[in-house]
Amino acid sequence: MNHRFNLSDFKTVLKTVYMGMRKIVGEARGSCVSFTPRKVLEFGGVDTTAPVALTLVKHILEKLVEAGYMQRDDSRARIRYVLCKNSPLWQRLRGGDAEALALIEAAAGE
């Protein structure tokens, strides 16, 4: 299901992040999930070879951390992002709510 997406269209990047996070949360078996920007792109169905794509996803995830929707775990060699059930974003992603995309857009400043 890998596809390339238009890096110059930030809305496309936001939708890919939304789709990737929705799939990650949808497959969660516990109360929290942790992931990297690369994993978000993989779950979003995007070819992850472009470093600029990873940078854009990291920017969006950092904005979600700043907005208080999730946490950053920098205790490992690679920074991971943690999303737990107590986040309003989790509930919207889990339910396939279209407002989840609106939350991500608002946090990213779009």
Side-chain angles (χ1 to χ4, degrees):
M1 176 170 138
N2 281 354
H3 66 277
R4 291 199 177 272
F5 67 126
N6 185 356
L7 294 172
S8 62
D9 181 13
F10 197 61
K11 290 266 188 204
T12 303
V13 178
L14 287 168
K15 287 180 184 175
T16 302
V17 169
Y18 162 72
M19 291 183 332
M21 289 180 67
R22 189 177 78 186
K23 189 168 182 182
I24 290 169
V25 169
E27 294 180 5
R29 293 184 171 194
S31 60
C32 290
V33 291
S34 70
F35 47 86
T36 61
R38 181 175 301 276
K39 191 59 73 179
V40 171
L41 284 175
E42 286 173 7
F43 275 82
V46 173
D47 180 3
T48 58
T49 58
V52 69
L54 294 170
T55 302
L56 288 170
V57 172
K58 183 178 178 184
H59 170 76
I60 294 167
L61 295 177
E62 287 293 329
K63 291 294 186 178
L64 290 170
V65 168
E66 289 174 17
Y69 291 123
M70 53 195 233
Q71 295 83 38
R72 177 182 41 245
D73 176 12
D74 51 8
S75 65
R76 304 181 195 187
R78 288 204 170 127
I79 294 176
R80 298 181 68 81
Y81 296 88
V82 180
L83 180 61
C84 294
K85 277 188 178 180
N86 61 356
S87 170
L89 184 57
W90 175 287
Q91 300 302 325
R92 289 184 170 95
L93 287 168
R94 188 76 175 204
D97 191 342
E99 286 184 27
L101 180 57
L103 273 178
I104 294 170
E105 288 175 346
E110 253 315 280

